[in-house]
Amino acid sequence: MYISRIELRNWKNFKEAEATLGNRVFLIGPNASGKSNLLDAFRFLRDIANHQLEKAVNDFRSGVSALRCLAATRYSNIDLEVTLTEADQKQWRYCLSFSQDNLRRPVVNKELVYGPDEIMILQRPNSEDRQDPFRLTQTALEQVSENKEFRKVADFFKSISYQQLLPQVVRDPRGFSPLPVQNDPFGRDFLLRLWRTTPKTRDSRLKKITAALRSAVPQLSDLVVRMDNSGTPHLIGGYSHWRLHDARQNESQFSDGTLRLLGLLWTVYEGSGLLLLEEPEISLHPEIVRRLPTIFYRINRSRKEPRQLVISTHSEEMLSDKSIGPEEVLRLEPSPNGTRICLPDEADRKAMSEGLTAADVLMPKAAPENIGQLTFEFEA
């Protein structure tokens, strides 16, 4: 299952926006155009399914007012609608519209679920909601007793993963949070996730990752995970040199680029749902970045069930991969009336069909307007 379409209304940067998605999507656009906020729309659905509407809105995102698009005028509700497509091409559709009450609690104004063949499975508000309006402070998505008929949709949302691994956090997780954290996108539990993976699966993945990493770290001979006497897991790398035995280093001695690349590769193997990656090119050599789309594709192809990837990027090197088709790139264009999601036009498609890459054709359009005015003058 993957998300094949998303529609947003009054969500952060987006007053009205819609996009068709494939199994691999690259988001491009100038700073503050809404790339992170578009990724957050998917995370929001995950947070509702895993937690509660109020937590997803108030605790994680500072309330409805912080979410509502500044360009919103008469219509003040926030709407999200996604279409999910299964391997057999059957489709599901989930729609949510919400606002807030006088106590600033988020409340559901509309919640709809359509199953295959557009059969309506859920329509809210219903008679029970009208009898007890407090029910509208929760979605049916988050309630096991309510989502029985569309639980595969709820389970898919729960499986959505966002990763922005920070090497400093991986090296010193307790320095950022003394308490254990699960599924942390920044890597506080990254080594623990490796350790808890079954040894056979972990060793197989690390062997494949080692082979891929050798292009960036030629001396790397192997990767293993070991638990120290204090109960802290460590990632150990072997490095070949002129001595008989390989040198051993742990994550504290790995470079930022090595740790980030390793984390990216592991993440594509890990999990099953939609994977959101934000600027994976950070800390990586341009020649490594240039090969990331191919590496992701090969890992995905080796999986029993490929993952859908949505990747935000500013990298020309990444978009220079000729395998990237025009239908895989969404360009965000800010305007006073909200950010638009733009697809390549006919001229763009023609240029790419003739051998130019997305970096050649689409990245120049994603540059900030009047970038030439960004200058500094210094007095003598």
Side-chain angles (χ1 to χ4, degrees):
M1 182 179 282
Y2 70 100
I3 295 178
S4 53
R5 184 173 178 80
I6 184 168
E7 297 182 29
L8 303 171
R9 192 171 188 181
N10 289 343
W11 173 267
K12 296 191 174 183
N13 299 62
F14 305 93
K15 183 179 179 182
E16 286 191 66
E18 58 184 54
T20 299
L21 312 174
N23 282 314
R24 186 175 66 169
V25 181
F26 296 88
L27 301 179
I28 63 173
N31 291 336
S33 60
K35 296 185 295 298
S36 296
N37 289 338
L38 181 53
L39 294 181
D40 194 44
F42 301 109
R43 296 170 65 191
F44 178 70
L45 293 170
R46 179 202 62 189
D47 291 341
I48 294 173
N50 278 319
H51 303 286
Q52 298 173 351
L53 177 63
E54 184 165 10
K55 277 192 173 183
V57 174
N58 289 344
D59 294 356
F60 300 162
R61 292 172 179 83
S62 303
V64 170
S65 297
L67 289 178
R68 186 181 290 119
C69 179
L70 294 177
T73 52
R74 295 180 181 178
Y75 186 83
S76 61
N77 294 348
I78 299 172
D79 299 351
L80 297 90
E81 178 176 325
V82 292
T83 301
L84 300 96
T85 300
E86 298 188 81
D88 59 5
Q89 298 306 303
K90 290 181 180 178
Q91 291 190 327
W92 298 74
R93 191 153 57 93
Y94 179 78
C95 315
L96 176 66
S97 175
F98 65 96
S99 58
Q100 64 183 0
D101 63 14
N102 293 333
L103 298 176
R104 297 188 179 275
R105 294 177 304 189
V107 291
V108 174
N109 295 311
K110 181 177 67 176
E111 187 176 22
L112 306 172
V113 179
Y114 294 88
D117 301 320
E118 281 293 288
I119 297 174
M120 181 173 283
I121 295 175
L122 175 76
Q123 183 176 16
R124 299 181 69 201
N126 54 31
S127 58
E128 294 176 280
D129 297 326
R130 284 186 280 273
Q131 291 175 8
D132 181 9
F134 186 72
R135 285 168 48 89
L136 292 173
T137 60
Q138 295 183 330
T139 65
L141 187 69
E142 68 202 64
Q143 301 176 60
V144 175
S145 60
E146 298 288 333
N147 67 26
K148 180 179 178 181
E149 298 300 320
F150 60 98
R151 191 161 298 156
K152 62 170 57 180
V153 172
D155 288 343
F156 176 83
F157 289 156
K158 289 179 180 180
S159 72
I160 293 173
S161 175
Y162 168 84
Q163 293 295 316
Q164 177 64 297
L165 190 143
L166 301 177
Q168 299 89 341
V169 174
V170 175
R171 295 189 188 103
D172 182 24
R174 293 180 181 175
F176 290 84
S177 174
L179 299 176
V181 178
Q182 289 188 348
N183 299 317
D184 179 52
F186 306 111
R188 281 176 289 185
D189 66 335
F190 177 67
L191 297 179
L192 196 57
R193 297 205 312 263
L194 266 64
W195 174 255
R196 288 175 175 171
T197 304
T198 58
K200 183 178 179 181
T201 300
R202 180 179 66 224
D203 293 345
S204 174
R205 288 178 185 173
L206 289 177
K207 185 175 181 181
K208 294 173 183 176
I209 289 172
T210 300
L213 281 172
R214 285 199 187 107
S215 61
V217 190
Q219 293 80 27
L220 185 66
S221 59
D222 69 312
L223 288 167
V224 295
V225 181
R226 296 283 184 265
M227 186 72 77
D228 67 18
N229 294 332
S230 69
T232 302
H234 293 282
L235 183 62
I236 310 296
Y239 290 83
S240 58
H241 50 65
W242 58 271
R243 294 187 176 89
L244 180 62
H245 300 291
D246 291 351
R248 314 299 290 180
Q249 293 184 346
N250 66 27
E251 70 282 349
S252 67
Q253 299 162 295
F254 290 178
S255 71
D256 285 3
T258 299
L259 266 181
R260 275 189 61 85
L261 182 55
L262 192 155
L264 285 170
L265 301 182
W266 180 272
T267 298
V268 182
Y269 277 117
E270 186 181 46
S272 59
L274 166 63
L275 175 59
L276 309 169
L277 297 176
E278 190 159 13
E279 298 180 26
E281 65 267 18
I282 294 174
S283 299
L284 300 182
H285 189 281
E287 288 304 315
I288 301 297
V289 175
R290 196 181 300 275
R291 290 163 174 76
L292 281 181
T294 299
I295 293 172
F296 292 156
Y297 170 76
R298 288 177 177 172
I299 293 176
N300 237 347
R301 191 175 59 178
S302 71
R303 293 170 51 99
K304 292 181 180 179
E305 183 182 348
R307 300 189 74 173
Q308 183 181 20
L309 271 67
V310 178
I311 303 167
S312 72
T313 182
H314 288 288
S315 172
E316 290 189 9
E317 287 81 11
M318 183 176 298
L319 292 182
S320 68
D321 188 306
K322 291 189 175 182
S323 73
I324 298 174
E327 71 284 352
E328 295 183 296
V329 183
L330 299 179
R331 180 172 59 85
L332 305 190
E333 184 178 282
S335 79
N337 203 35
T339 292
R340 297 188 303 153
I341 301 178
C342 303
L343 299 175
D345 58 27
E346 283 301 315
D348 297 332
R349 293 174 181 274
K350 186 174 186 297
M352 292 181 69
S353 71
E354 293 175 350
L356 294 180
T357 67
D360 300 321
V361 178
L362 302 177
M363 281 299 281
K365 294 185 175 184
E369 292 185 7
N370 304 317
I371 189 62
Q373 297 178 9
L374 185 62
T375 59
F376 293 90
E377 295 183 3
F378 299 94
E379 295 182 1

